[in-house]
Amino acid sequence: MDKLVIEGGIPLHGDIAVSGAKNAALPILCAALLTSDPLIVHNVPHLRDVTTMLNLLAQMGVSVSLDESEDMELRASNLTQPVAPYELVKTMRAVVLVLGPLIARCGEARVSLPGGCAIGLRPVDQHIKGLQAMGATIEMEHGYMLARANRLKGARICMDLVTVTGTENLMMAATLAEGTTAIENAAREPEVVDLADCLTAMGARIHGAGTDVITIEGVNRLHGARHRVMPDRIETGTFLVAAAATGGEVRVTGARSGILDAVLEKLRETGAQLESGPDWIRLSANGALNAVSVRTAPYPAFPTDMQAQFMALNSVACGTAMVTETIFENRFMHVQELRRLGADIEVEGNTAVVRGVPRLEGATVMATDLRASASLVIAGLMAQGVTTVERVYHLDRGYERIEEKLSRLGARIRRARS
Ligand code: EPU
């Protein structure tokens, strides 16, 4: 198992290019299941989660190839096995995104029910409820969801809560349904819009993506298309927080500032300076940062996927910050590890009270999930001495070559074997 060894205390400086968004790429790869024509996807990030999804699609009979410019071609002309086995679902819950496309295209699917997860229970009841409203029958058998439908029928679906992959699953399923589907209380995340853009390029008729009501007029078939995956807003935010936390100056290129408003606003509150152009965001910080309270909520509010990184930044800021997590019930696993580096954090229910300390000190810490690992890397970049972050495979799920990117910004960070 790999670990990252970080010598902290060096302000980050320079330009860094952001990769394609993991949480847009995963559903878009699943959209390939909806047509027998080739779907060509540009800007797919090299991540463990993407590899997991590609392995699953290949097992189902999708052919996957890469050309010299790393464009990915997926062709689901012969779907032999509409099954997502437990072995894959347990490693990555986003695998559930194959459910909607498989029922819509094949009329059946056998997808393992995800178990518990490090950050929360994360049930899939809303995915199931929506597909049932469209006429699918879903039975549970030996831990698997067995879904069947002759042809899905358009329906009005009101989601009990805002779910990103739930919205995406139902939107994909509805593209091939008979009649019109309305998804109410839909997720408004930019990744939902990116998926809708890809589906539209494939011939789907979708209106309202990016609002809380998405309407999909079903069509008889979808065709091949080309799509470029949007830039990763969470990777962008992570680099900007790392720049602020180390008192550096970093320009993230290939980024979109318009989809990061809540995060950029909080970074401004720290006292950092921000500037942005059409495809870049620059942050500069020198000296002490103000503590900033954040409360996670669905888009366009502050994203849960940036909560842990702000916790790291707040741990050395001036003052006390309240960090409230409203999306996942167990997303404070990084608190114990940040404490090992000297942070003063107390958890009361779903709020962490972070009292800024003058400095963190390097230690060995353990990553528990993807964004928790990102917060530990940021803490390591700020800490005095050497920090070792173990279980880096969590980080590899969502950050492309993070140590190479950070090294280019001047960080002393290297990967080693545990
Ligand atoms: N929920 C239910 N029932 C459902 C679905 C969701 O109760 O049927 C609950 C969840 O338990 C959670 C809340 O609703 O409490 C929101 O979960 P959501 O379904 O929106 O999360 P997700 O779709 O499973 C995606 C991202 C996550 C990100 C969340 C929230 C992907 C592949 N994953 O997960 O990304 O945190 O939305 O924005 O898009 C990450 O990248 O680190 C990550 C965890």
Side-chain angles (χ1 to χ4, degrees):
M1 249 188 279
D2 287 358
K3 59 187 180 183
L4 288 179
V5 182
I6 307 164
E7 277 176 62
I10 300 167
L12 301 183
H13 280 282
D15 280 10
I16 199 73
V18 73
S19 300
K22 166 179 82 83
N23 290 346
L26 293 173
I28 285 167
L29 297 179
C30 294
L33 293 167
L34 290 163
T35 175
S36 53
D37 295 346
L39 176 66
I40 296 163
V41 192
H42 312 269
N43 205 27
V44 178
H46 297 92
L47 300 170
R48 265 171 71 105
D49 277 8
V50 167
T51 308
T52 305
M53 189 62 91
L54 292 173
N55 286 341
L56 172 66
L57 295 176
Q59 268 181 36
M60 289 178 181
V62 179
S63 72
V64 181
S65 57
L66 269 184
D67 69 12
E68 327 71 65
S69 49
E70 303 235 323
D71 291 341
M72 193 171 281
E73 181 179 304
L74 298 111
R75 191 190 286 252
S77 45
N78 187 19
L79 284 175
T80 47
Q81 220 194 343
V83 177
Y86 177 65
E87 288 62 41
L88 284 174
V89 178
K90 76 175 179 197
T91 62
M92 186 178 80
R93 304 175 63 83
V95 161
V96 77
L97 282 165
V98 299
L99 183 61
L102 284 178
I103 310 182
R105 169 95 186 281
C106 310
E108 60 172 330
R110 189 163 177 270
V111 176
S112 168
L113 204 55
C117 154
I119 60 176
L121 285 174
R122 305 182 76 180
V124 289
D125 56 301
Q126 298 301 308
H127 303 231
I128 295 174
K129 195 181 106 172
L131 292 170
Q132 284 172 333
M134 283 192 250
T137 58
I138 302 184
E139 288 164 33
M140 298 300 157
E141 197 177 83
H142 304 297
Y144 277 76
M145 298 181 271
L146 293 185
R148 281 194 195 85
N150 283 334
R151 184 173 179 196
L152 294 171
K153 302 222 161 24
R156 181 175 157 223
I157 302 164
C158 187
M159 312 290 269
D160 293 344
L161 46 81
V162 177
T163 153
V164 177
T165 50
T167 302
E168 292 165 345
N169 229 340
L170 300 180
M171 188 165 73
M172 286 193 276
T175 57
L176 291 179
E178 189 186 333
T180 301
T181 299
I183 307 174
E184 298 179 7
N185 199 21
R188 291 178 284 169
E189 268 64 5
E191 293 76 13
V192 174
V193 179
D194 205 32
L195 171 64
D197 288 346
C198 174
L199 293 168
T200 303
M202 293 166 72
R205 299 204 186 124
I206 302 176
H207 304 280
T211 75
D212 61 359
V213 181
I214 304 178
T215 311
I216 306 112
E217 261 177 77
V219 294
N220 289 331
R221 66 177 294 275
L222 294 180
H223 51 71
R226 286 178 176 272
H227 182 78
R228 182 176 177 81
V229 175
M230 63 178 280
D232 196 312
R233 65 191 165 106
I234 304 301
E235 190 198 14
T236 305
T238 302
F239 284 126
L240 294 176
V241 171
T246 58
E249 180 170 344
V250 169
R251 191 170 76 121
V252 184
T253 59
R256 268 165 61 186
S257 61
I259 53 175
L260 260 174
D261 286 346
V263 170
L264 298 184
E265 193 45 48
K266 286 292 163 188
L267 284 168
R268 267 189 208 103
E269 268 183 45
T270 68
Q273 270 95 55
L274 280 141
E275 254 183 285
S276 58
D279 62 353
W280 56 267
I281 307 174
R282 181 189 292 120
L283 179 143
S284 56
N286 44 13
L289 299 172
N290 305 317
V292 285
S293 293
V294 298
R295 183 184 177 83
T296 67
Y299 189 84
F302 187 88
T304 173
D305 292 343
M306 286 301 300
Q307 177 258 104
Q309 298 87 320
F310 269 75
M311 186 97 81
L313 181 146
N314 274 317
S315 61
V316 292
C318 295
T320 299
M322 313 284 268
V323 176
T324 305
E325 173 59 56
T326 75
I327 307 290
F328 293 112
E329 62 278 17
N330 194 27
R331 213 173 196 184
F332 280 154
M333 304 272 276
H334 40 286
V335 168
Q336 286 290 23
E337 303 302 306
L338 290 172
R339 278 193 191 136
R340 302 198 63 252
L341 298 171
D344 178 354
I345 309 174
E346 252 174 82
V347 175
E348 292 167 12
N350 69 346
T351 298
V353 182
V354 191
R355 292 185 188 84
V357 295
R359 77 187 66 81
L360 298 179
E361 283 178 10
T364 298
V365 287
M366 186 93 82
T368 48
D369 72 75
L370 169 57
R371 308 303 170 188
S373 8
S375 82
L376 297 177
V377 169
I378 292 168
L381 293 171
M382 295 189 290
Q384 281 190 342
V386 176
T387 298
T388 304
V389 182
E390 302 213 318
R391 299 202 183 161
V392 167
Y393 59 87
H394 287 295
L395 204 62
D396 297 337
R397 293 185 60 173
Y399 292 92
E400 197 174 61
R401 303 185 314 273
I402 195 167
E403 71 277 18
E404 283 176 33
K405 289 194 181 185
L406 289 171
S407 299
R408 256 179 266 143
L409 297 175
R412 293 212 186 108
I413 178 168
R414 66 184 169 84
R415 188 176 283 259
R417 287 247 158 231
S418 287

